[in-house]
Amino acid sequence: EQRNIVLNVNGIEVIYNHVILVLKGVSLQVPEGGIAALLGGNGAGKTTTLRAVSNLLRGERGHVTKGSIELRGERIENLTPSELVQRGVVQVMEGRHCFAHLTIEENLLTGAYTRSSRGEVAANLEKVYNYFPRLKQRRSSQAAYTSGGEQQMCAIGRALMASPSLVLLDEPSMGLAPQIVEEVFEIVKDLNAREKVTFLLAEQNTNMALKYADYGYILESGRIVMDGPASELANNEDVKEFYLGVG
Ligand code: ATP
């Protein structure tokens, strides 16, 4: 079955501080309704790739110096992060970044897109609570006093408040117990199936990512060294040896 390409990253190079070449020609495609995983070890360039797509490199003194990035055929390299949000592209940053002193509900409301009507905001909030019942229970708690899993859910929930069609999810498993990681991924899968949200997720937890993604890209030192359907990668001997810890 042929699906439309939502995100087309074509041979991008990224340089930090005008000298450090971190991405050396990365290409990847994410189809409409897909869950694509960007895999690889520490420092491989996963976060940099997501930041290039959501145009969040500038604050890090990073620049895309070659290649192109297209969203449904439209070049997006020169759009601001907020213009990207308007087009449905939202990034969930690594390390969660909830506002510690705000309640869960206040955090979620910061994600509401400024042009949404009050009715839309209320409907989105209900939808988020529907997917994350834990957040509803904790809606009045200060984020600082909630668990790591709840903060990760809050970060994803906040992204959903902008009614995204493409979510860039950076290391959702980071620092979480395996059972909680599973819970978060189950919700991602649900959002993908029922809300038709497309995901590009960066993960060091190869095992978990390949269980939930439908396609994977393996990044090593700024280059894609392997890609394929998740089930094929999960059964590939090199992937098993180097990334799944089974030799
Ligand atoms: P991690 O899981 O640790 O986040 P990653 O695969 O996401 O790893 P990146 O964060 O994209 O990797 O980093 C890729 C490379 O770019 C690393 O060598 C890192 O040291 C370097 N790098 C990242 N941010 C900057 C920056 N602002 N300035 C200079 N170099 C940077």
Side-chain angles (χ1 to χ4, degrees), residues 21-33:
L21 179 64
V22 168
L23 298 188
K24 302 161 186 167
V26 168
S27 298
L28 57 86
Q29 284 82 38
V30 187
E32 194 81 61

Side-chain angles (χ1 to χ4, degrees), residues 27-221:
S27 298
L28 57 86
Q29 284 82 38
V30 187
E32 194 81 61
I35 303 180
L38 191 54
L39 307 165
N42 235 323
K46 303 181 298 297
T47 298
T48 301
T49 305
L50 297 191
R51 284 179 173 259
V53 173
S54 51
N55 207 350
L56 290 170
L57 282 172
R58 206 147 305 169
E60 306 287 321
R61 297 181 48 78
H63 299 273
V64 177
T65 51
K66 263 192 196 159
S68 62
I69 306 175
E70 289 170 16
L71 181 73
R72 300 186 182 88
E74 181 197 9
R75 296 281 292 261
I76 57 170
E77 300 96 295
N78 294 319
L79 299 183
T80 64
S82 74
E83 287 169 333
L84 286 162
V85 174
Q86 287 176 45
R87 284 167 175 73
V89 181
V90 178
Q91 178 154 357
V92 180
M93 309 253 210
E94 183 179 5
R96 305 190 273 272
H97 295 286
C98 285
F99 298 108
H101 61 287
L102 298 184
T103 65
I104 291 290
E105 185 152 303
E106 287 164 346
N107 267 285
L108 293 175
L109 291 172
T110 65
Y113 176 51
T114 43
R115 283 214 315 247
S116 321
S117 67
R118 279 169 63 186
E120 264 173 85
V121 173
N124 278 347
L125 194 60
E126 263 330 287
K127 190 180 282 182
V128 170
Y129 285 147
N130 193 19
Y131 280 95
F132 297 98
R134 267 168 183 262
L135 293 183
K136 189 162 192 174
Q137 284 164 22
R138 305 286 267 140
R139 67 202 293 172
S140 307
S141 305
Q142 261 193 359
Y145 300 111
T146 63
S147 70
E150 287 159 354
Q151 288 179 38
Q152 179 64 69
M153 291 174 190
C154 179
I156 298 172
R158 187 173 57 185
L160 294 175
M161 292 296 292
S163 307
S165 61
L166 172 64
V167 173
L168 308 165
L169 193 50
D170 200 357
E171 300 257 4
S173 77
M174 199 172 66
L176 302 182
Q179 194 193 327
I180 306 295
V181 175
E182 192 111 39
E183 199 179 324
V184 169
F185 271 101
E186 283 293 335
I187 296 168
V188 164
K189 185 122 198 141
D190 237 29
L191 287 164
N192 174 256
R194 289 160 53 194
E195 306 294 327
K196 310 291 175 222
V197 179
T198 301
F199 286 89
L200 173 59
L201 57 97
E203 257 304 339
Q204 289 199 45
N205 188 336
T206 308
N207 216 359
M208 198 66 84
L210 289 179
K211 187 171 157 191
Y212 286 93
D214 36 49
Y215 202 88
Y217 291 89
I218 299 182
L219 199 53
E220 253 176 44
S221 308

